[in-house]
Amino acid sequence: MNVAISRRNFLVGTAGAGIGFGLGAVSHQFPLQVIRVRADWQPGVESFVSSTCMLCPAHCGIRARLVDGAFTRIDGNPLHPVSQGGLCPKGVAGIQLAYHPGRLKGPVRRVGPAGSDEFEPISWDAAIDQVVAALRSARDAGEAGSVEWLLGDAHGVMGDIIAAFCRAYGTDRITVDDYRDGSAEVMRLCQGISAPPAYDLLNSDLVVSFGAGLSEAWWASPLAARARDTDPDSGPRWIQIDVRLSRTAASANQWIPIRPGTYGALALGVAYLLVREGLYDANAVSQRVSGWEDWTDETGTRQEGFRSLVLRHGRPDEVSNRTGVPVAQLTELAKAFGAARSPIAIWDHAVSWRRGGLSDALAIHALNILRGGLNRRGGILVQPPLPLPGPLDKAPAGAAGLSPRALTSTTWPPPGGASPATKVLFLYQSNPVASSARSDDVRQALSRVPLVVSFSPFFDESARYANLILPDHTYLERWQDATAPAAVGFPVWGVVQPVIKPLQDTRATGDVILNLAARLGGEVGAWSRWSSVEEIVRERGMALAGAARGSAFVGGVRQQELRELGSRGWWLPHGQSPEDYWKAIVEAGGWFDPHYDYNDRAAFSQHADGRAWIFPAEARRRLQGSGEPLADGFLPVTAGAPAAPETAVQSSFPLQLVPFRVLTLASGGTPLMPWLLEHLGVLTDDAWETWAEVNPETARGLGLRSGQRVRVESERGAFEATLRFFVGAQPGVVNVPYGLHARVEGWGEPRGANPLAAVGGGMDPTSGLPDWYSTRVRLTAI
């Protein structure tokens, strides 16, 4: 029997539980009545199942607690080498996804207009027949390229299945919405390495974060939490440079407020002082770095080296005027970075998702290069590859996985309208109506596709435009694998396995794709010799038995032993059959190899000459070709000079919009979890609605008061929010959380709004990444 639980009843129940816990805490002073049970009562049989959380890219290890087979709780897996038993509120609240009353009970088809709630049940066989017929029709008409996939989190086995299916079918139209921050492009330009950087946080003694949400929505927040919570005498010191007093800034050793869009300028100011004070690694720079001194390019043109650029444009007084960071604080920061044994400079989307963001990121990474921090203990690393089998099909060498286009506001739908060539569109872990800054264009494009198939387990914003919804299991009901994010310096392969049997008539999407391939036959069916994702995951786990490296997850002491053995070039054979080794991996929750080779030259640079570039030539050409400055800080402001005249946009829209992510909204599914909706704004005490943080003086100057509803409007669009006075906001800035825009069936309608409605579809021309942080807005009372 399905029981509908209202939001009110749910909150009353949790409030009652809180009162109960409180009474229990004082029961020694006020004894409670002894609970009497029947004489034949027996405690339930408790069991645990190890798996991996899939609610964010961190992929923490989890243990599901079951009592008599009933799923009751999610805990952290203490054996997981990264999270080590830690679990954020998202991971704990994951149980609410499994039991959510708004889950689809089975496949449905739309019988009303696109975007409506008018759906009716359909059998799995009938739904798959419809999809197979559409795919055959497109292929027989020579239009295999009209089949398109929009993907969210589709790494590992799921990415390989989709890639193999598309190659066999004959389409390369795969677009991914993976929230990439451009760090892989910085690594490619500077070091010739096409991978995002890893950070050896546990061995660093100073971490300087340029706006990165290390405690909120960062790739490897558990790693950051472990490093932050180490012994203050031995762990790293944390400095957060941020436009707002974020959760990360509040937990850091020091918060340095900065004006929006000036992170690159501050990095140049730090570099200037490192050079002037001789606090950089001159030996490493001279022997292993190109682009430091002035040089002549292949056309014979003389180019300024990074040293000359920094000394010309990074003077502390000018940097202070631009950033709002006092000269004394800038000097203190530079000296700390120069004196640290193993400092790290980190950035994320707050830097790169704006015009000029690529150059700012390059300026920040230059600090790591100046201090000789590449492939060094406590520095910037490159995660080694997993020893897993290659492509699932007979693809060319190097074709494993996906080579998708990034899903940004300019890639889907194509500028100028919908994609008329698309005949069949699959949505997997993707909700572009909610995640795109051009949501109206996305809605129109979805409405024009003859067959849209969504695999969402919920009626999300994009699923309402689908012709068919073939609901996936939750991650607690399916087999999959989950690798550690690239920010972790060693490979981790987590097992995702069912902790409970499916609660609804849903199917694992990977199994559905394998079934589609078999039904289509021919070349499409020939590549797959598996009938389920479980078979593929099991095969990969058994293959790890022959890797001659690594281990199934083990406890902390044993992890350190393996790391020490690896550093000496040793590995102890496990002595198990592949089948037994696979069972050990499943029981522990996954496999890892903690050893890292700090002497691997390929992790320093893969350029032909083996040297790293600081502000590389290719980046300069791209920046100059786009009309962008080499870095935000390369626009000097002379001390005491009059301010630049106010533009028409600044006059009409005097405030800077800063969308930000919070821990409890750092996943597309989190708006479905009431536990998280009750704890959104930890520092502002906001819940169940979108709020706008404004400095009290800024708000009072506009005649606004805290708590009133306001309209946040730009040239491109507008949304509504509740105003909150927040002393942690910079003057002239409006901070708005991103992510609270999903419709939450069965729990009432939170007053969510999407700040991307005001951001629009702009992009940084040099990186192709979205421009979220250049938007000017105004506030008006409602």
Side-chain angles (χ1 to χ4, degrees):
M1 179 178 66
N2 293 322
V3 180
I5 306 173
S6 68
R7 175 195 174 202
R8 176 181 177 83
N9 289 340
F10 179 88
L11 296 180
V12 168
T14 53
I19 294 172
F21 291 138
L23 290 175
V26 297
S27 61
H28 63 287
Q29 297 182 3
F30 303 96
L32 302 177
Q33 182 179 358
V34 177
I35 299 177
R36 301 186 182 279
V37 298
R38 291 172 46 177
D40 60 350
W41 177 84
Q42 294 291 330
V45 177
E46 185 181 50
S47 61
F48 293 88
V49 179
S50 298
S51 189
T52 306
C53 179
M54 298 296 287
L55 292 177
C56 81
H59 296 158
C60 297
I62 59 175
R63 296 178 77 220
R65 178 177 181 264
L66 295 91
V67 177
D68 289 340
F71 182 26
T72 63
R73 191 178 71 221
I74 298 177
D75 297 318
N77 182 357
L79 301 183
H80 193 280
V82 179
S83 56
Q84 295 196 347
L87 203 59
C88 77
K90 297 191 301 294
V92 175
I95 191 173
Q96 293 192 328
L97 278 185
Y99 291 122
H100 199 288
R103 285 186 61 181
L104 288 167
K105 304 300 186 284
V108 295
R109 64 182 173 191
R110 180 164 49 81
V111 294
S116 71
D117 296 335
E118 299 176 34
F119 285 78
E120 67 178 16
I122 184 175
S123 70
W124 275 102
D125 286 342
I128 291 177
D129 283 345
Q130 185 176 340
V131 177
V132 169
L135 291 174
R136 281 179 176 160
S137 176
R139 183 184 59 183
D140 293 346
E143 297 177 338
S146 67
V147 175
E148 187 169 8
W149 290 74
L150 297 187
L151 309 178
D153 185 8
H155 75 290
V157 66
M158 281 305 301
D160 290 343
I161 288 173
I162 294 171
F165 178 89
C166 289
R167 281 192 293 264
Y169 182 80
T171 182
D172 63 351
R173 297 180 63 185
I174 302 174
T175 306
V176 65
D177 184 6
D178 61 359
Y179 200 59
R180 64 188 62 184
D181 61 6
S183 58
E185 180 66 359
V186 171
M187 290 286 286
R188 187 190 69 80
L189 290 168
C190 294
Q191 297 171 241
I193 300 171
S194 297
Y199 302 96
D200 197 4
L201 299 181
L202 295 175
N203 292 310
S204 173
D205 59 340
L206 175 64
V207 177
V208 178
S209 166
F210 288 79
L214 302 180
S215 299
E216 288 141 310
W218 194 53
W219 304 112
S221 53
L223 180 67
R226 282 180 55 204
R228 187 187 64 242
D229 294 339
T230 52
D231 183 350
D233 295 329
S234 60
R237 180 185 176 206
W238 292 76
I239 299 176
Q240 181 72 10
I241 303 165
D242 213 327
V243 299
R244 62 182 292 271
L245 181 61
S246 62
R247 187 174 182 269
T248 304
S251 61
N253 297 97
Q254 182 183 8
W255 170 45
I256 298 179
I258 189 172
R259 291 175 184 147
T262 62
Y263 290 111
L266 186 66
L268 289 174
V270 172
Y272 176 95
L273 291 167
L274 292 178
V275 174
R276 281 293 191 190
E277 300 294 328
L279 297 176
Y280 68 101
D281 191 334
N283 183 58
V285 169
S286 64
Q287 294 185 12
R288 308 189 69 184
V289 176
S290 299
W292 174 240
E293 302 292 354
D294 296 351
W295 50 283
T296 302
D297 64 21
E298 62 274 12
T299 66
T301 304
R302 192 68 174 167
Q303 300 284 351
E304 279 189 296
F306 189 68
R307 178 207 289 267
S308 299
L309 291 170
V310 164
L311 294 178
R312 187 154 63 93
H313 298 298
R315 288 185 288 271
D317 55 343
E318 296 176 359
V319 170
S320 179
N321 284 342
R322 288 189 57 79
T323 64
V325 177
V327 171
Q329 196 170 43
L330 170 61
T331 303
E332 179 185 3
L333 172 64
K335 288 184 176 180
F337 199 82
R341 180 191 70 255
S342 301
I344 295 178
I346 301 178
W347 75 96
D348 71 358
H349 312 79
V351 168
S352 55
W353 281 26
R354 60 176 292 273
R355 289 186 69 90
L358 175 62
S359 57
D360 286 0
L362 288 165
I364 294 168
H365 192 48
L367 299 180
N368 296 315
I369 298 174
L370 286 176
R371 284 303 324 273
L374 304 187
N375 203 45
R376 185 183 71 178
R377 185 177 178 85
I380 306 300
L381 313 180
V382 179
Q383 185 185 105
L386 282 161
L388 292 175
L392 297 177
D393 56 350
K394 296 179 180 179
L402 298 170
S403 298
R405 293 176 289 274
L407 176 59
T408 68
S409 55
T410 59
T411 56
W412 204 94
S419 182
T422 302
K423 300 294 180 63
V424 181
L425 176 66
F426 293 99
L427 301 175
Y428 175 70
Q429 297 283 332
S430 179
N431 185 4
V433 172
S435 62
S436 175
R438 295 166 53 216
S439 58
D440 288 341
D441 291 343
V442 171
R443 291 187 183 95
Q444 293 176 15
L446 291 175
S447 300
R448 295 172 184 170
V449 177
L451 179 62
V452 178
V453 181
S454 170
F455 296 105
S456 173
F458 296 91
F459 276 120
D460 63 37
E461 294 90 336
S462 300
R464 296 171 190 277
Y465 287 83
N467 303 89
L468 290 172
I469 306 179
L470 309 182
D472 195 0
H473 295 328
T474 68
Y475 69 96
L476 300 164
E477 302 164 311
R478 68 174 182 255
W479 284 94
Q480 200 172 329
D481 61 358
T483 58
V488 177
F490 53 91
V492 179
W493 188 72
V495 173
V496 181
Q497 64 172 316
V499 304
I500 51 172
K501 294 181 179 179
L503 299 177
Q504 309 294 344
D505 184 20
T506 56
R507 294 186 183 180
T509 297
D511 293 351
V512 173
I513 297 172
L514 293 173
N515 183 246
L516 288 174
R519 293 277 300 276
L520 286 168
E523 293 183 6
V524 183
W527 70 267
S528 176
R529 53 187 171 82
W530 308 273
S531 60
S532 69
V533 174
E534 178 183 0
E535 294 178 15
I536 303 175
V537 174
R538 181 177 180 276
E539 184 176 292
R540 290 185 169 189
M542 293 177 65
L544 290 171
R549 53 181 279 211
S551 166
F553 290 170
V554 292
V557 174
R558 182 64 177 148
Q559 290 178 20
Q560 188 58 39
E561 290 177 352
L562 293 174
R563 189 174 291 109
E564 182 63 26
L565 287 171
S567 68
R568 298 169 183 265
W570 299 342
W571 176 76
L572 296 180
H574 49 73
Q576 296 175 297
S577 68
E579 180 66 32
D580 288 340
Y581 196 65
W582 161 243
K583 291 179 180 178
I585 290 174
V586 171
E587 183 178 355
W591 178 97
F592 78 121
D593 182 3
H595 171 62
Y596 187 84
D597 184 2
Y598 294 102
N599 296 314
D600 183 4
R601 288 182 171 272
F604 178 88
S605 173
Q606 293 182 17
H607 288 307
D609 59 2
R611 297 170 67 90
W613 267 91
I614 189 166
F615 253 108
E618 180 184 343
R620 294 179 185 229
R621 288 193 296 269
R622 285 165 56 179
L623 292 166
Q624 292 166 345
S626 68
E628 295 290 318
L630 289 182
D632 179 78
F634 289 0
L635 295 175
V637 177
T638 305
E646 187 176 54
T647 66
V649 172
Q650 290 172 331
S651 176
S652 300
F653 302 95
L655 306 174
Q656 181 79 43
L657 176 64
V658 176
F660 67 92
R661 288 187 176 237
V662 296
L663 176 65
T664 45
L665 288 178
S667 170
T670 51
L672 299 165
M673 304 178 198
W675 286 349
L676 303 183
L677 292 170
E678 283 294 314
H679 300 88
L680 295 179
V682 176
L683 301 179
T684 57
D685 198 27
D686 281 283
W688 287 86
E689 66 177 2
T690 298
W691 70 96
E693 300 172 354
V694 179
N695 184 277
E697 294 303 316
T698 298
R700 292 190 186 103
L702 298 172
L704 301 173
R705 65 181 186 279
S706 187
Q708 73 180 125
R709 296 288 291 176
V710 295
R711 177 179 173 85
V712 185
E713 183 179 8
S714 74
E715 286 187 305
R716 304 176 184 90
F719 61 94
E720 296 180 3
T722 298
L723 186 68
R724 287 284 181 262
F725 285 7
F726 185 49
V727 295
Q730 291 279 58
V733 175
V734 181
N735 303 313
V736 181
Y738 165 74
L740 186 60
H741 43 69
R743 299 175 62 174
V744 187
E745 299 292 338
W747 300 95
E749 292 291 333
R751 290 198 293 185
N754 191 350
L756 300 188
V759 169
M763 62 173 287
D764 177 9
T766 60
S767 68
L769 294 175
D771 181 6
W772 278 21
Y773 298 101
S774 301
T775 305
R776 307 289 302 184
V777 297
R778 61 188 174 211
L779 299 180
T780 54
I782 298 176

